[in-house]
Amino acid sequence: MRLTETNLLQDLARPDMARVMEAFKLRGFPKGKLVFHPREELDRLFIVKSGRARVYLAYRDKEFTMAVLDAGDVYATHTRAYVQALDDLELLVANISDVRPHLMTLPSLNSAIMHVLGELLSHAISVIDNLAFKDVRNRLIGFLAFEARRMPRCRECRGCGGCEDGGMVSLGLNTEQMASIIGSSRQTVSSLLNALAKEGVIELKGRGVICIPDIANLEALLHA
């Protein structure tokens, strides 16, 4: 969901950023692995190099996804949130104390951190709004429409011509992960996806791939 348009990976690759890069270590995590949790009490900063990471809050058997971080996004681990690898994940990780002396030489990092914090706050408010005022069906429809709008059209079937006015959403998420993102159960999300497929507004292709022939038609259900 790219929380910032700043290309930190490109900035850090510049020759004059070599000293800053010394503070970061490359770490890899397999899909599904818990990357950071609040009990670690670590003050770390990381930049997603490849893959996606889910930032979420957890209480007993409930999880609430606050953001999905894509390549180039930056995040600090001093919050109460957990971080999980949604894909095979590569992170550039540094102790904040090691990065702090270099912040003045990398204003784009300062800007990105502030932007991400602002987006996380905005998304947190949206999560609360959705959970308080929208039913599960509308939360799922809104999530699918948002993903379809932001991702390339016909990602999995480019050239077929079957979804010229829509998009292929290759989420890479199973039903249980989707449920945690919208604050529901796996069974409920599975039933809703099948119902939307019967209505013809989505096509289930399997393996986390959902075809949306007409995004506007899907979005219209939010106002029905």
Side-chain angles (χ1 to χ4, degrees):
M1 104 178 8
R2 277 317 302 277
L3 295 182
T4 174
E5 296 303 318
T6 303
N7 194 330
L8 286 177
L9 296 174
Q10 190 175 68
D11 285 349
L12 288 169
R14 299 199 319 256
D16 58 316
M17 291 293 106
R19 290 186 61 190
V20 180
M21 278 300 295
E22 290 176 359
F24 288 88
K25 304 298 182 183
L26 182 65
R27 295 185 61 187
F29 302 88
K31 180 178 179 179
K33 179 74 173 179
L34 186 63
V35 177
F36 294 105
H37 61 79
R39 292 187 299 276
E40 287 183 280
E41 297 183 355
L42 297 176
D43 209 7
R44 299 278 177 84
L45 180 77
F46 70 78
I47 300 169
V48 180
K49 184 177 181 183
S50 66
R52 294 175 300 166
R54 180 170 74 103
V55 180
Y56 67 97
L57 298 175
Y59 179 72
R60 294 182 180 175
D61 61 341
K62 295 184 180 298
E63 295 180 0
F64 301 99
T65 297
M66 309 308 295
V68 175
L69 306 178
D70 289 320
D73 279 331
V74 61
Y75 186 74
T77 66
H78 62 280
T79 69
R80 290 181 52 245
Y82 294 78
V83 181
Q84 179 189 39
L86 280 180
D87 310 306
D88 289 339
L89 183 67
E90 286 187 313
L91 301 180
L92 293 170
V93 184
N95 292 321
I96 290 181
S97 58
D98 294 333
V99 175
R100 190 175 292 114
H102 303 292
L103 289 179
M104 293 304 294
T105 66
L106 190 58
S108 60
L109 181 58
N110 280 310
S111 174
I113 291 172
M114 294 301 294
H115 189 88
V116 168
L117 289 175
E119 287 295 322
L120 284 172
L121 176 59
S122 174
H123 191 68
I125 293 172
S126 295
V127 168
I128 294 169
D129 177 66
N130 282 334
L131 292 174
F133 301 113
K134 294 181 181 178
D135 61 23
V136 178
R137 175 183 164 92
N138 279 334
R139 295 203 298 269
L140 177 61
I141 291 170
F143 171 70
L144 294 175
F146 173 81
E147 289 295 307
R149 288 291 184 194
R150 81 178 183 91
M151 298 180 76
R153 301 289 177 87
C154 294
R155 184 174 179 177
E156 298 295 329
C157 61
R158 186 174 291 109
C160 76
C163 53
E164 182 178 350
D165 297 321
M168 181 69 76
V169 183
S170 183
L171 297 175
L173 303 173
N174 59 36
T175 307
E176 186 171 358
Q177 290 170 323
M178 247 190 292
S180 71
I181 288 176
I182 66 169
S184 184
S185 68
R186 180 184 60 80
Q187 295 86 346
T188 299
V189 169
S190 180
S191 296
L192 288 172
L193 288 173
N194 287 325
L196 291 172
K198 288 180 180 179
E199 293 176 36
V201 291
I202 68 171
E203 297 176 13
L204 303 178
K205 300 293 187 178
R207 297 183 181 179
V209 179
I210 299 172
C211 181
I212 302 173
D214 191 324
I215 301 174
N217 280 348
L218 180 65
E219 290 173 328
L221 296 179
L222 292 171
H223 310 292

